[in-house]
Amino acid sequence: MFRGKTKKKDDHLTNGDPLAHPKTNGSLKGTPPASPALKQRVDKAPTVEVQRPKVSFHCQLAHGSPTGIISGFSNVKELYQKIAECYEISQAEILFCTLNTHKVDMNHLLGGQIALTDFIFAHKKGHKRQVEVEKWDDALGLTITDNGAGYAFIKRIKEGSVVDRLQENRLHVGDHIESIDGKSLVNCRHYEVAKMLKEIPKGTTFTMTIVEPLRAGFANIGPKSETRGSKKNYGTGRETLRLRSNAPASIEQAPDDVVQAAVSKINNLLENFLGINDTELATQIWELAQGKANTMEFAEAIDNSDLEAFGFTDDFIIELWGVVSDAKSGRLRPPSSGHH
């Protein structure tokens, strides 16, 4: 093992410091009031507010609906809530969103980047069913992703795999895995679901509760030229809204070919090693590698980030660093089709 865990920041750096609690104006209950000089410093402390980019997007429900306009969100969960409010439905009814197509197309999933000209289609929950699976091989052949708001679902099914060869009640791309043998997976991340499936012993028969995306009725969806005609053009088409799980959204330039190639390759590694697919996670890994001189520095950066929870092995870190090196030297080709 070439890397060690780094110590967490000490809590005592903020405990008892009135500047760490600006709403108290330096006076905590049971303590004497702060001096006038200290109080003045606190009063002048800037108020931190979440800045929501002033952009709007057209959206529809994928099974058919009028066109809505949504804005004022700073992360994926807020985006789902805005869509739910627009159509007076529960946020829990939305499984995932695709960009510029109403089809269950995993190449157009809404992820960490939304071009300012993209049209959002929200896919609602459909039929719920039970699927019995006999795990006759070590791997099931599933790639799992999630919507960033509590639902993990199937992004890819490997040809010839256990799942692909199910004779009855087959699984499909886009199916939300709600539970395994009665254990709820709602609010689990994709890597947790993938790990649970991987740890099921070979030779075991288990039951999954599956929720399909609603697939019926596309009559209300008009041609894109009709629904997009009045949309304001915010930029060149190369600008995107970057959504993060742990920070406010921001408007950025779309990733260049080098970044797209690196993120695509990192996603392939995530799929091969962990059975998950997550463009936001792949992008975060790429960004953590920037400015790092070697594998050791890269590993330390991961250990000091929220990615530590994934428990990446040393071998996986080395593979990731190899992708970063190849991308920076121009040895990677950009993906042939765009992935959001």
Side-chain angles (χ1 to χ4, degrees):
M1 300 293 287
F2 67 82
R3 62 193 174 111
K5 299 298 182 184
T6 56
K7 292 182 179 179
K8 300 297 182 184
K9 293 182 179 178
D10 294 331
D11 290 336
H12 73 265
L13 294 178
T14 56
N15 286 350
D17 180 0
L19 288 179
H21 309 278
K23 290 185 178 180
T24 65
N25 288 330
S27 179
L28 300 176
K29 186 176 181 180
T31 62
S35 66
L38 179 57
K39 187 176 187 302
Q40 187 177 16
R41 285 169 55 201
V42 175
D43 288 342
K44 290 183 178 180
T47 301
V48 179
E49 295 182 358
V50 176
Q51 296 296 321
R52 288 169 171 78
K54 299 183 184 302
V55 293
S56 61
F57 295 87
H58 279 133
C59 71
Q60 286 184 349
L61 299 179
H63 64 283
S65 76
T67 300
I69 298 178
I70 54 171
S71 62
F73 56 91
S74 63
N75 55 50
V76 173
K77 287 187 177 180
E78 289 183 4
L79 165 62
Y80 278 58
Q81 183 59 41
K82 291 291 184 180
I83 295 174
E85 291 171 0
C86 179
Y87 292 103
E88 297 182 345
I89 61 176
S90 166
Q91 180 182 340
E93 292 184 59
I94 303 174
L95 284 183
F96 55 83
C97 295
T98 50
L99 299 175
N100 306 315
T101 178
H102 63 264
K103 298 179 181 178
V104 180
D105 185 341
M106 296 293 109
N107 289 330
H108 290 86
L109 277 177
L110 185 152
Q113 302 269 358
I114 312 177
L116 298 189
T117 54
D118 279 343
F119 195 111
I120 300 171
F121 289 90
H123 296 254
K124 288 179 60 179
K125 286 182 176 180
H127 178 61
K128 181 185 293 190
R129 57 194 173 92
Q130 305 288 320
V131 178
E132 191 172 86
V133 180
E134 180 186 353
K135 190 177 182 182
W136 47 262
D137 194 4
D138 289 326
L140 290 170
L142 291 177
T143 299
I144 309 296
T145 191
D146 63 44
N147 66 359
Y151 292 151
F153 56 94
I154 299 169
K155 183 166 185 179
R156 199 161 12 254
I157 297 175
K158 185 177 181 181
E159 189 175 352
S161 65
V162 170
V163 168
D164 186 49
R165 292 188 182 182
L166 287 175
Q167 297 299 313
E168 297 180 4
N169 205 9
R170 296 173 63 89
L171 293 171
H172 302 282
V173 165
D175 286 350
H176 161 47
I177 304 175
E178 185 179 77
S179 67
I180 297 176
D181 285 338
K183 179 178 174 55
S184 175
L185 300 181
V186 175
N187 292 323
C188 287
R189 292 300 312 273
H190 45 41
Y191 62 91
E192 296 174 297
V193 176
K195 182 181 179 184
M196 191 177 299
L197 291 169
K198 185 177 181 180
E199 289 177 346
I200 294 173
K202 184 178 176 180
T204 301
T205 297
F206 64 97
T207 301
M208 289 192 284
T209 302
I210 296 298
V211 181
E212 300 174 354
L214 193 59
R215 301 173 187 270
F218 300 104
N220 294 330
I221 297 181
K224 192 176 295 184
S225 59
E226 292 181 14
T227 58
R228 299 278 298 281
S230 60
K231 183 170 174 66
K232 179 180 178 182
N233 184 6
Y234 284 97
T236 61
R238 293 290 295 172
E239 289 181 308
T240 67
L241 182 68
R242 171 79 182 275
L243 296 172
R244 298 173 177 83
S245 58
N246 56 359
S250 60
I251 296 176
E252 301 177 0
Q253 289 297 309
D256 60 24
D257 288 347
V258 171
V259 176
Q260 287 188 44
V263 168
S264 177
K265 186 67 174 179
I266 290 171
N267 235 340
N268 288 341
L269 288 179
L270 289 172
E271 188 165 330
N272 292 333
F273 275 75
L274 304 178
I276 65 174
N277 190 293
D278 187 334
T279 303
E280 181 192 357
L281 174 60
T283 302
Q284 188 177 355
I285 291 171
W286 164 257
E287 290 175 346
L288 279 174
Q290 302 313 298
K292 306 301 181 291
N294 52 49
T295 317
M296 287 284 289
E297 291 184 7
F298 178 44
E300 185 176 357
I302 287 178
D303 283 343
N304 288 330
S305 74
D306 56 354
L307 299 189
E308 183 187 23
F310 284 84
F312 294 152
T313 65
D314 293 340
D315 288 343
F316 187 53
I317 297 288
I318 292 170
E319 291 280 350
L320 290 173
W321 184 252
V323 171
V324 171
S325 301
D326 286 346
K328 289 181 176 179
S329 62
R331 293 193 291 268
L332 291 183
R333 292 183 177 181
S336 56
S337 61
H339 294 272
H340 293 272

